Amino acid sequence: TRLVNGLMLRMDKPTTADGTYTVHFSNYDESEDGRVGKPDSVEVDIVIGADGANSRVAKEIDAGEYDYAIAFQERIQIDEDKMKMYEDLAEMYVGDDVSPDFYGWVFPKYGHVAVGTGTVVNKSGIKQYQDATRVRCQPKIEGGTLLKSEAHPIPEHPRPRRVNGRAVLVGDAAGYVTKCSGEGIYFAAKSGRMCAEAIVERSQNGQYLVDESDLRVYLDRWDKKYMLTYKVLDILQKLFYRNNPAREAFVELCDDYYVQKMTFDSYLYKTVVPGNPLEDAKLAFNTIGAIVRSSALRAQAKALSA
């Protein structure tokens, strides 16, 4: 195995069925100052694009575009007394002020907290949503020191094409980030592992050269295991993040033990776990009731403010 600190520039595709890919990159290991990479290239049989949401491998294989959210996050160091409050706590804020279609958060890290938010529909407004998130949690982060500001695109769905020839995508490059939660780290690692396992299996430990049909084995297994999870979370985000009454209904439902258990189990196992049919029916009834109540309260509030 040869590890290289580099930045991919482009890729030359094979001219024959068993030819190699030539990957051109800037090699920072060979750089004189560590800032300007030295032009370099390597010939390989298989290319696995694990190069993030702005994947250059995806562009080279015409993987297509996807909708994406922009996430903004600030890492803030707060005093030890305030950090103790976050030992068993992570916060999630919903409302038009913090995001029109996502949520704001305060997640505890080692020695600091991460405060952030995200949006798909109004990317240019991300700064105002971040300011509103800070206002929401102001008493808990007051006096804190800003350590770092970060922004990152979050894919909203898998790319239209994830494999082309012997080049395949995994992780954010493939679009493996779940709606509702924005979870992506687990799926990045898991997809990479599943892809590697399929290659080892289909090549019989490297004895034979794989082709696109072999790489599609990984995609088929991935879709069978996780695609339902993506679809369910997509529905939940569209249902509960669309306006404030729906968000109020979401907050109300989260107080239910069965909802908490199903959410925890699904997050733990990264799949939609089977539930109790009777409890599922009750949950559906409660969901409709919560949305109706929240909508009625919104109508009343509008009438009072008119």
Side-chain angles (χ1 to χ4, degrees):
T1 301
R2 178 190 173 199
L3 297 177
V4 179
N5 177 21
L7 174 66
M8 177 185 168
L9 302 174
R10 68 183 192 280
M11 181 173 73
D12 296 334
K13 299 175 184 176
T15 56
T16 61
D18 59 352
T20 58
Y21 289 83
T22 301
V23 178
H24 301 270
F25 62 96
S26 293
N27 189 335
Y28 292 98
D29 289 334
E30 302 295 331
S31 171
E32 295 181 0
D33 59 5
R35 291 178 294 181
V36 179
K38 180 181 178 182
D40 204 345
S41 64
V42 61
E43 292 187 357
V44 295
D45 292 324
I46 305 167
V47 176
I48 301 175
D51 49 341
N54 296 319
S55 172
R56 297 193 179 190
V57 175
K59 290 181 175 62
E60 290 289 331
I61 68 171
D62 298 321
E65 298 300 326
Y66 46 32
D67 291 333
Y68 66 93
I70 183 71
F72 187 89
Q73 177 175 272
E74 295 173 305
R75 295 179 180 267
I76 301 174
Q77 186 176 38
I78 56 179
D79 62 49
E80 292 185 8
D81 290 337
K82 287 188 172 73
M83 276 302 300
K84 286 181 180 179
M85 180 178 60
Y86 286 105
E87 288 180 355
D88 300 302
L89 175 69
E91 293 184 299
M92 173 181 173
Y93 297 101
V94 291
D96 286 335
D97 57 330
V98 298
S99 176
D101 57 337
F102 205 57
Y103 64 90
W105 64 82
V106 181
F107 294 154
K109 304 293 183 178
Y110 182 75
H112 66 280
V113 293
V115 179
T117 185
T119 179
V120 177
V121 300
N122 187 17
K123 299 179 182 65
S124 62
I126 189 65
K127 185 62 170 64
Q128 74 182 61
Y129 300 135
Q130 177 66 11
D131 291 342
T133 303
R134 290 191 63 154
V135 169
R136 290 272 202 114
C137 63
Q138 182 59 35
K140 301 165 187 175
I141 64 170
E142 193 170 10
T145 302
L146 178 63
L147 303 177
K148 187 179 183 182
S149 296
E150 305 164 312
H152 194 73
I154 301 178
E156 283 289 289
H157 56 78
R159 288 186 186 270
R161 170 184 281 180
R162 290 169 285 163
V163 62
N164 187 352
R166 283 177 276 120
V168 64
L169 304 175
V170 299
D172 281 16
Y176 294 153
V177 177
T178 58
K179 292 282 191 76
C180 248
S181 66
E183 165 73 16
I185 295 176
Y186 171 85
F187 295 107
K190 184 66 174 179
S191 60
R193 184 184 184 96
M194 290 178 69
C195 181
E197 289 173 345
I199 292 171
V200 171
E201 174 190 326
R202 301 291 288 189
S203 68
Q204 296 188 26
N205 291 317
Q207 295 183 63
Y208 303 99
L209 182 64
V210 299
D211 58 21
E212 183 172 321
S213 65
D214 298 309
L215 296 178
R216 287 193 178 279
V217 170
Y218 137 66
L219 295 180
D220 291 342
R221 291 172 179 172
W222 175 269
D223 291 348
K224 182 178 180 180
K225 188 174 181 65
Y226 295 113
M227 198 52 71
L228 179 61
T229 300
Y230 284 84
K231 290 180 178 178
V232 169
L233 291 176
D234 184 24
I235 292 171
L236 290 177
Q237 179 163 322
K238 290 176 179 176
L239 178 63
F240 289 118
Y241 288 178
R242 55 197 170 96
N243 53 44
N244 280 341
R247 296 181 192 110
E248 289 292 345
F250 174 68
V251 172
E252 179 183 329
L253 289 169
C254 286
D255 194 43
D256 183 87
Y257 172 77
Y258 182 68
V259 172
Q260 294 175 13
K261 182 180 184 303
M262 292 298 291
T263 301
F264 180 81
D265 289 347
S266 296
Y267 189 82
L268 180 65
Y269 298 109
K270 307 301 179 185
T271 59
V272 179
V273 298
N276 181 300
L278 179 60
E279 292 293 336
D280 287 343
K282 289 169 59 178
L283 176 57
F285 180 80
N286 290 338
T287 300
I288 295 171
I291 293 176
V292 170
R293 282 192 298 275
S294 296
S295 297
L297 287 172
R298 185 187 195 190
Q300 291 177 10
K302 280 187 175 181
L304 290 173
S305 61

